[in-house]
Amino acid sequence: MQELIKLDFVDLAIAVGLMAIAIGLSAWEKLGLELNLALATGRTILQLLVLGYILDFILALDNAWAVLAILTIMLTITAIVARNRISQKIPYVLPLVWGAILISTALTVLYTNFLIIQPERWYEPQYIIPLAGIVLGNATNAAAIAGDRLVSTINSSHLEIETHLSLGATPEQAVSQYRKDAIRAGLIPTLNQMILIGMVAIPGITTGQLLAGVKPLDAVSYEILIMFMVAFANLLTTVLVTKGLCRQFFNSAAQLVR
């Protein structure tokens, strides 16, 4: 199979032409997206180039502490993003989300590393960084969707919740259905992706491996593994986040906090 055709800065500059055309189309249609597209283009270039240099340094360094440091930074950034999409008014949302994503990602990656891939070293950067990055990104979206859904539903359902409490329900029972609905909402994108994967489009990970010269069956094998990792991590993340958020809405006397 042909080796990967490498792209230089000239190739990337030509690729920017696609975004220039998109900006021009937005202006032609008067969509008002020109600034957003331009900023997104700039951020994409800057962030991915920085990521490339950082990963190149980490892979060359080949040190367990360096791997843990970059993973911690990635985890913190994703937790902040999820917190901002859920709520900045509710106390302790950031440590709650940070801990939930940490637990789900760690369990998923460690299970995969020790039982399935089994690299020579547990911290092998070639495997643990990209796999953890995929899980973190998806867990962040799941946490944000489920958390935002739960918070908005509870905020708009105070009367119904207080009615349940007055009839003797515990706080967990009063918001049980809201929490289940929020968890389902957080899992919808993942389930849709799993249902349609391989039928509508070739997934990104498989595409990348095919471009790198990996055999198709080997590429889809990793895609299957990744999808199962994402599904498990997303479910665990939403379960932990929604459980923690529910507790923030009630005081020690089991009263709803407004």
Side-chain angles (χ1 to χ4, degrees):
M1 188 172 289
Q2 184 179 353
E3 293 185 1
L4 176 66
I5 299 174
K6 296 184 179 180
L7 303 179
D8 55 25
F9 283 103
V10 174
D11 297 320
L12 294 179
I14 296 174
V16 173
L18 292 171
M19 295 308 300
I21 295 173
I23 292 172
L25 180 60
S26 174
W28 178 269
E29 295 289 342
K30 298 180 180 179
L31 301 177
L33 296 175
E34 297 83 4
L35 180 59
N36 290 336
L37 288 170
L39 290 175
T41 300
R43 289 192 61 170
T44 298
I45 295 172
L46 177 61
Q47 291 171 184
L48 289 180
L49 285 178
V50 170
L51 175 64
Y53 283 115
I54 291 176
L55 291 181
D56 190 46
F57 173 76
I58 297 295
L59 291 173
L61 195 59
D62 197 21
N63 178 272
W65 291 108
V67 172
L68 290 176
I70 189 65
L71 292 178
T72 301
I73 294 172
M74 293 165 62
L75 169 63
T76 302
I77 293 174
T78 57
I80 292 173
V81 170
R83 187 279 308 269
N84 291 341
R85 290 174 60 184
I86 295 172
S87 174
Q88 297 188 37
K89 298 180 180 180
I90 303 175
Y92 310 117
V93 172
L94 180 57
L96 167 63
V97 174
W98 195 93
I101 297 178
L102 169 64
I103 293 172
S104 61
T105 302
L107 288 177
T108 304
V109 173
L110 290 175
Y111 180 97
T112 302
N113 245 24
F114 286 111
L115 298 182
I116 302 174
I117 299 177
Q118 298 181 359
E120 294 183 2
R121 300 167 302 176
W122 68 267
Y123 64 88
E124 193 68 54
Q126 178 185 357
Y127 294 99
I128 196 169
I129 292 178
L131 291 177
I134 293 171
V135 173
L136 284 170
N138 283 275
T140 300
N141 289 330
I145 294 173
D148 179 66
R149 172 71 173 269
L150 180 63
V151 170
S152 61
T153 303
I154 290 180
N155 284 335
S156 62
S157 306
H158 280 182
L159 181 59
E160 183 176 347
I161 295 173
E162 289 174 343
T163 300
H164 285 297
L165 293 174
S166 65
L167 293 175
T170 64
E172 292 77 13
Q173 292 171 334
V175 298
S176 174
Q177 189 59 49
Y178 306 143
R179 181 169 173 251
K180 291 177 183 178
D181 291 341
I183 293 173
R184 293 191 185 101
L187 267 291
I188 286 176
T190 304
L191 295 176
N192 287 343
Q193 186 179 6
M194 294 180 74
I195 292 172
L196 297 176
I197 195 167
M199 296 176 61
V200 177
I202 299 177
I205 301 300
T206 301
T207 300
Q209 292 192 82
L210 290 175
L211 290 174
V214 175
K215 293 182 179 179
L217 288 179
D218 292 334
V220 298
S221 295
Y222 265 93
E223 190 69 49
I224 292 171
L225 169 62
I226 289 169
M227 288 309 306
F228 292 165
M229 292 174 65
V230 167
F232 171 77
N234 285 1
L235 177 58
L236 182 56
T237 300
T238 54
V239 167
L240 294 175
V241 168
T242 54
K243 189 174 186 64
L245 283 174
C246 286
R247 293 178 178 177
Q248 300 299 318
F249 281 94
F250 298 91
N251 57 27
S252 58
Q255 296 175 329
L256 186 62
V257 178
R258 293 181 178 274

